[in-house]
Amino acid sequence: MAGVMDSVNQRTQLVGQNRLELLLFRLNGGQLYGINVFKVREVLQCPALTLLPKSHPVVRGVANIRGATIPILDLSMATGLAPLQEDTRNSFVIITEYNTKTQGFLVHSVERIVNMNWEEIHPPPKGTGRDHYLTAVTRVDNRMVEIIDVEKVLAEVAPSSEQVSAGVVDAEVQDKAVLLRVLTVDDSSVARKQVSRCLQTVGVEVVALNDGRQALNYLRQLVEEGKRPEEEFLMMISDIEMPEMDGYTLTAEIRSDPRMQKLHIVLHTSLSGVFNQAMVKKVGADDFLAKFKPDDLAQRVVDRIKATH
């Protein structure tokens, strides 16, 4: 697996083409799972783990990897399945960066990388209920691949504060905010709730949509009704990784349509490790913000209110 990440820096060419690359892996059993390669720093045979007293049950231990101490999470156990085998020496660890934090996911085996179009990635079937850990599904070689909602996993294992610090939002801003709306787009139910709660602290009304395709159709409907998105919404805050249409492509589509191109767009994503700021400029977004820092997110909204109202 040493060479599996060798070309990760070349993958930026996928930006704006509505494409992604999935690293396929297995937990217990034959089911295939996928994770976006942009989130992955490296894949390695599971190193020796040191147990941490009173840690979350999902954390199998910590490992010293390239001079850093990294928590290793049993991804099978974290998603409600049986824990992986007690002896981890034959397992693999996928080292990832989410929301500016580094952690390893313990998996049974790693398969390969596949290049896909986001249009081939679909939301989970509606009959799966609310307690599942899927953010999307797709098919590879006629086999179902489940894409795990890692933000839901991390929110349960290591919850981050959703509180906005005192002083970030003043009374004058809140008075103006109550008349304003913000459009948010994210496929993770956990992320949608986090963002919505943060923005409600500022005082704005939130319209939350699930993916780029849904958002683009929504905005097109607005302009068909003779409305201007930049007048309807203070700004749009969009995730990047989403089924059907990613945030880059959504941004590029909005910028290419004269009827909606003035909408202020912030890309808000957990793609922090190998993320290149040039990607944001390439598709024409106004700003980029790493997930999930309530004060930073609230401040972006406050700044926008002060600049425009």
Side-chain angles (χ1 to χ4, degrees):
M1 293 308 301
V4 94
M5 300 308 300
D6 286 349
S7 59
V8 72
N9 290 328
Q10 298 171 17
R11 304 186 195 287
T12 56
Q13 64 188 333
L14 302 177
V15 172
Q17 300 177 25
N18 209 35
R19 300 194 68 83
L20 79 157
E21 289 188 313
L22 286 178
L23 175 64
L24 303 183
F25 60 91
R26 297 181 195 272
L27 300 175
N28 284 314
Q31 176 62 49
L32 272 177
Y33 297 90
I35 187 173
N36 192 333
V37 166
F38 266 127
K39 302 283 183 73
V40 179
R41 281 197 356 196
E42 63 179 313
V43 178
L44 63 160
Q45 195 92 28
C46 185
L49 300 181
T50 302
L51 297 179
L52 276 184
K54 297 183 180 180
S55 62
H56 193 285
V58 164
V59 179
R60 295 287 292 264
V62 296
N64 189 282
I65 299 172
R66 310 197 191 290
T69 301
I70 297 175
I72 308 298
L73 284 60
D74 186 328
L75 197 51
S76 180
M77 191 176 177
T79 53
L81 303 174
L84 292 170
Q85 63 268 28
E86 195 68 34
D87 185 354
T88 60
R89 288 175 296 181
N90 293 322
S91 300
F92 288 84
V93 170
I94 303 173
I95 306 296
T96 66
E97 272 196 64
Y98 279 84
N99 305 351
T100 69
K101 295 178 181 176
T102 302
Q103 54 279 309
F105 293 123
L106 184 69
V107 302
H108 178 267
S109 60
V110 176
E111 300 279 312
R112 58 194 172 101
I113 289 173
V114 292
N115 186 317
M116 303 193 71
N117 193 301
W118 275 110
E119 292 177 353
E120 302 171 72
I121 313 295
H122 305 291
K126 291 187 177 178
T128 50
R130 294 186 175 183
D131 294 328
H132 63 76
Y133 287 83
L134 303 184
T135 189
V137 296
T138 189
R139 297 193 76 84
V140 174
D141 298 336
N142 241 4
R143 293 180 296 171
M144 176 72 74
V145 176
E146 298 183 351
I147 300 172
I148 293 173
D149 187 349
V150 175
E151 290 179 74
K152 178 178 172 72
V153 170
L154 294 178
E156 292 178 356
V157 176
S160 57
S161 171
E162 297 177 7
Q163 299 298 314
V164 176
S165 300
V168 175
V169 186
D170 59 35
E172 183 182 354
V173 165
Q174 284 189 316
D175 287 344
K176 295 176 180 178
V178 294
L179 302 174
L180 304 172
R181 295 196 299 166
V182 171
L183 179 63
T184 69
V185 192
D186 203 302
D187 62 315
S188 167
S189 61
V190 168
R192 283 197 304 275
K193 290 174 185 173
Q194 288 175 331
V195 171
S196 293
R197 284 193 280 261
C198 176
L199 298 188
Q200 285 160 3
T201 300
V202 179
V204 295
E205 179 185 342
V206 179
V207 175
L209 301 178
N210 296 359
D211 61 64
R213 178 74 64 195
Q214 187 182 38
L216 185 61
N217 290 340
Y218 176 85
L219 290 170
R220 283 175 172 167
Q221 182 64 38
L222 282 182
V223 297
E224 291 298 327
E225 295 170 0
K227 298 175 181 176
R228 297 174 181 268
E230 73 272 17
E231 295 176 357
E232 295 293 315
F233 293 101
L234 176 71
M235 62 205 300
M236 181 181 81
I237 300 170
S238 176
D239 187 21
I240 290 178
E241 284 189 290
M242 295 180 289
E244 307 287 353
M245 178 181 287
D246 68 15
Y248 293 130
T249 306
L250 170 62
T251 302
E253 289 282 350
I254 291 171
R255 291 294 183 247
S256 68
D257 189 329
R259 302 171 301 171
M260 60 177 81
Q261 63 186 191
K262 292 182 180 178
L263 181 63
H264 188 88
I265 301 173
V266 176
L267 292 176
H268 183 229
T269 177
S270 53
L271 291 170
S272 55
V274 291
F275 184 85
N276 185 342
Q277 191 76 31
M279 298 177 192
V280 172
K281 296 178 183 176
K282 178 179 178 180
V283 296
D286 294 286
D287 203 355
F288 161 76
L289 185 61
K291 288 182 179 175
F292 172 69
K293 299 176 181 177
D295 285 358
D296 290 352
L297 181 58
Q299 190 64 56
R300 290 296 201 283
V301 180
V302 168
D303 290 346
R304 182 77 182 144
I305 292 172
K306 289 181 176 178
T308 58
H309 292 77

